Amino acid sequence: MDAMKWWGWGREDVAFTHEDKPGLRPFIQRALDVDVAQPGEPPVPFSTVDVPEPKVDATLLAALRAAAGVDHVSVDPHDRVVHARGKALRDLVRHRTGDVGRVPDVVVRPGDEAAVAGILRAALDADAVVIPFGGGTNISGSLEAPAVEERTIVSLDLGRLDRLLEIDAESRLARVQAGVFGPHLEEQLHAHGWTAGHFPDSFTHSTLGGWIATRSSGMQSDKYGDVADLTRAVRVVTPAGTLVTRPVPSTSTGPSVREMVLGSEGRLGIITEATIHVHALPAQRVILGYLLPDWPRALEAMRALAEAEVTPSVTRVSDAPETQFSFATRKAPTAFDQVKSRALQLALRRLGIDAEQMCLSFVGYEGSEERVAAQRRAVGRIVKEHGGLCIGASPGELYDQKKFDTPYIRDFLLDRGTLADVSETSAPWGALPRLYDNVMADARAAFARLGITGYIMCHLSHSYHSGACLYFTFAFKPSGAREPLEEYDVVKGAIQQAFVDNGATLSHHHAVGTEHAQWLEQDISAPGVAMVRALFDGVDPGGNLNPGKIVVRT
Amino acid sequence: MDAMKWWGWGREDVAFTHEDKPGLRPFIQRALDVDVAQPGEPPVPFSTVDVPEPKVDATLLAALRAAAGVDHVSVDPHDRVVHARGKALRDLVRHRTGDVGRVPDVVVRPGDEAAVAGILRAALDADAVVIPFGGGTNISGSLEAPAVEERTIVSLDLGRLDRLLEIDAESRLARVQAGVFGPHLEEQLHAHGWTAGHFPDSFTHSTLGGWIATRSSGMQSDKYGDVADLTRAVRVVTPAGTLVTRPVPSTSTGPSVREMVLGSEGRLGIITEATIHVHALPAQRVILGYLLPDWPRALEAMRALAEAEVTPSVTRVSDAPETQFSFATRKAPTAFDQVKSRALQLALRRLGIDAEQMCLSFVGYEGSEERVAAQRRAVGRIVKEHGGLCIGASPGELYDQKKFDTPYIRDFLLDRGTLADVSETSAPWGALPRLYDNVMADARAAFARLGITGYIMCHLSHSYHSGACLYFTFAFKPSGAREPLEEYDVVKGAIQQAFVDNGATLSHHHAVGTEHAQWLEQDISAPGVAMVRALFDGVDPGGNLNPGKIVVRT
């Protein structure tokens, strides 16, 4: 797996473009008052970036080389800058201008768990800081060292721990090294007829260990579960030795140590291995598109689906603003598309569906032909009861092909001086309508307060028995009157505050990091924060493990 | 809810008897070399029990009375003895002889959360110990104070916090006070058309808070989940104030505080309230009996069921020894029973099923008629593929009616000087055959070493994606050569050791307490124990909250 671009998302040779999407330029012009056809402003060249000299003494360097091998210890400036931050909007904005912050002093790539233990021991002996690094895609600030950190910072890159170690076919469990990237994991599992079924947006550039450390959730979590569900056991190198839990399906061993490691963002140790659920590759797999008449009925249809216990692999529905954005990103229609489009217009008119209000939904089905057929019937019935209709498999196929490309849009917009980001949450079904209304109102009030033209849109995804995830995307061109990130903080802060003010959580699957830490106490209460802090302080009394994340040390 | 018998399980007016079960006396004679028709030896009368004077100073007593109300603070000897221990075999054996141990000094029954907070504050001010008490059914020693405890011991009985506070019908969530007993919870939910679906063996005498504090699992966990799955939020009075988590379906707020409270056995605070999943009462509910030809095929059939993702509400299968015990507990057959029995004999002969090897299974179905029918077809097909047959609904109905009476058998046997107890675990599907064989062999080796006639039997229950629970029941008459509990420790210890030696966990749903604490490090590794200890020590630096449970304080 190649390293990501130092200044943005993904690979240098992949980029988002508006040129093959005739509706997009006018859409963005209307929505954000930005003309994307105007030439953009690229990031500064790397050669102009001022990367500080690494601060690492000879004893530590020798110990790291002894642990990982000489070839796997790097003080190269580019390598260190790539490992300095994740891909939060704040990270991209700063990196693009050459502000790379407190970059790690050394990047180490251990080849096995013993090397990880050796690195941690060496770092603790030197009172250095260790920040584990998977794919570097975190968007909550989980990877950046505190600006004031004076100790040596070691970025521990797990990329060489990328093997599938064992499959227990009877138990449908796979033992996998934590540094494996999504595609490489699936490739190794597919060779034996299995899938992990975990497909977060970051899939192509993120790792199993990163998913566990941040409580990730994949697009097909409705069927396969969140990473917390599918991770049965972990191995974690901690200051007290290697934590090893057992891959049992359920256990009564006191407070769950497995659930302490999930979401721990490197603060308890370095995750080296996990035992995860695998599933036989499904006989059939299809994602169907649906249109629902408006957001209230769209929400209600998703709730009815959860209540009916149909359990498709994907349930997702966009609000009207996101539906309009989706339609604006379509390529130029063929003659056949135009025929289909006219037929659809007729069907919508017959059902009284207003194009300004309608909501695009994707529902995914996996399994035996019989199971898929039964689920499709049940979903079709519920969609119909809520005034909607099925629009077939082709929009779903397109969604399925393009689902991992969305993060590239941020770089496309940043090139044009426009900020775009996401905030997501979860709440009980009953709380979702009011939560949605208040988040939209508060974000728009923030746009107005700043005097900017902003856009915000949302989809529901990840359905559960008692609630679901709402995923908001917002964008605006800074006014120029203030620092762009200052205006970003106003908008992002308004959205996050609306989450916790309306019974929702600070994040459904993007972790706490530094971006969300200020809302943790409002979410889990002060005694909850005290419990997390007690755990961190007890395991890592010197504060050497990724300090400053989740809770600030007192 | 009446208090339990001070010396045994359940109510004084309920008892198990062999008299209406013609096969049982000869069965027990053969299995344990015990004649249950011989007169038994009852527990000592309470009047002869030497209950130490309560050790509680006037300041603390006044503060407890101020917090809970004068009528709800008790130093009555009987009350204190009932609160001294749970219902582990060790507890029953000792209580029956009048050895009641370090009984709590005072029993307090708060009426609301503010009173709980007042009690905790008063206890901490006085450096007293607080042990929360739900139904008192724990069988792992979670309720007993350390014998050497010199501080005042407050038993905090949650029984008055027994109300359903709110139902969010849209989200299918109920907010409930933690002291509610199983039947009273279901009664309050039924009144609105809901069920929690949580039915542990202890159901009639245990509480929601107790289930959460011990990571309980109910008989219908296959459909409704373990208590860890169905508990969406908790309120817990801790030394740092009241912990309040949010009832969101999934969240990414770092290490899960909710999962720290689950299984915490009072070591982090007092659980006062929970928000739990509820489900509409099913249109149909049926439990069918099946016979499978032998244990290997029985295990394989249950695994195939999990793999087929049929998700019935109950999947359970007994090994041959437990199947024979079940048949021995049947009442005298009617003429109609005899006809059915002959038909069954013929069917078994036709399938080549050996009565000595066959395994009795129960599979439960709940939901719409259509769903139940589809599940029954799928299960029928799998049972047939594994050489078994369906024996209809009447054995399942009997199981369903009698499922909560099993614990009374222990008192019946103790009256006759015979010890019986349970040990349960979970492991991946692939590990279960060897685990079973080794547990059976090690238990029988322990019987042989002690020179006693013992019996051990097992069932599989609680199926998951990647594994299941194995639940062992064992019984023997002590040799007389040693203390009965010394021989019990040899047998119980052999079984528990076989669990951890064969990749299984120390308990699937009976908690750690003091009985299983010695296996915790082998189960979750030393760094895992260190993490749990860091949490407890940080939250409860004085060691006032149910000390000595799960991990011993260093």
Side-chain angles (χ1 to χ4, degrees), chain B residues 91-155:
Chain B
D91 302 335
L92 305 187
V93 167
R94 292 179 300 172
H95 261 48
R96 292 173 67 94
T97 65
D99 164 10
V100 291
R102 174 70 175 93
V103 298
D105 298 293
V106 53
V107 178
V108 192
R109 295 178 168 85
D112 58 25
E113 188 180 274
V116 173
I119 292 164
L120 180 59
R121 215 163 30 240
L124 292 176
D125 286 348
D127 192 23
V129 162
V130 175
I131 304 180
F133 190 96
T137 62
N138 175 272
I139 59 169
S140 303
S142 304
L143 291 166
E144 184 175 1
V148 298
E149 185 58 66
E150 295 192 349
R151 297 172 290 185
T152 297
I153 297 166
V154 179
S155 178

Side-chain angles (χ1 to χ4, degrees), chain A residues 110-174:
Chain A
D112 58 25
E113 188 180 275
V116 174
I119 293 164
L120 180 59
R121 216 165 28 240
L124 292 177
D125 285 349
D127 193 23
V129 162
V130 174
I131 304 181
F133 190 96
T137 62
N138 176 272
I139 58 169
S140 303
S142 303
L143 289 167
E144 183 176 2
V148 298
E149 185 58 67
E150 296 192 347
R151 296 172 290 183
T152 297
I153 297 166
V154 179
S155 178
L156 199 161
D157 186 319
L158 279 301
R160 291 173 64 210
L161 275 70
D162 66 349
R163 283 181 307 123
L164 167 63
L165 299 173
E166 188 188 351
I167 294 178
D168 173 353
E170 264 186 286
S171 312
R172 296 189 292 163
L173 288 171

Side-chain angles (χ1 to χ4, degrees), chain B residues 520-538:
Chain B
L520 187 64
E521 186 173 315
Q522 292 174 67
D523 190 326
I524 67 170
S525 77
V529 177
M531 283 167 61
V532 175
R533 182 175 287 131
L535 177 66
F536 292 166
D537 288 352

Side-chain angles (χ1 to χ4, degrees), chain B residues 50 63 100 124 174 328 344 390 400 465 481 524:
Chain B
D50 183 22
V100 291
L124 292 176
L344 179 60
C390 182
D400 205 30
H465 173 92
I524 67 170

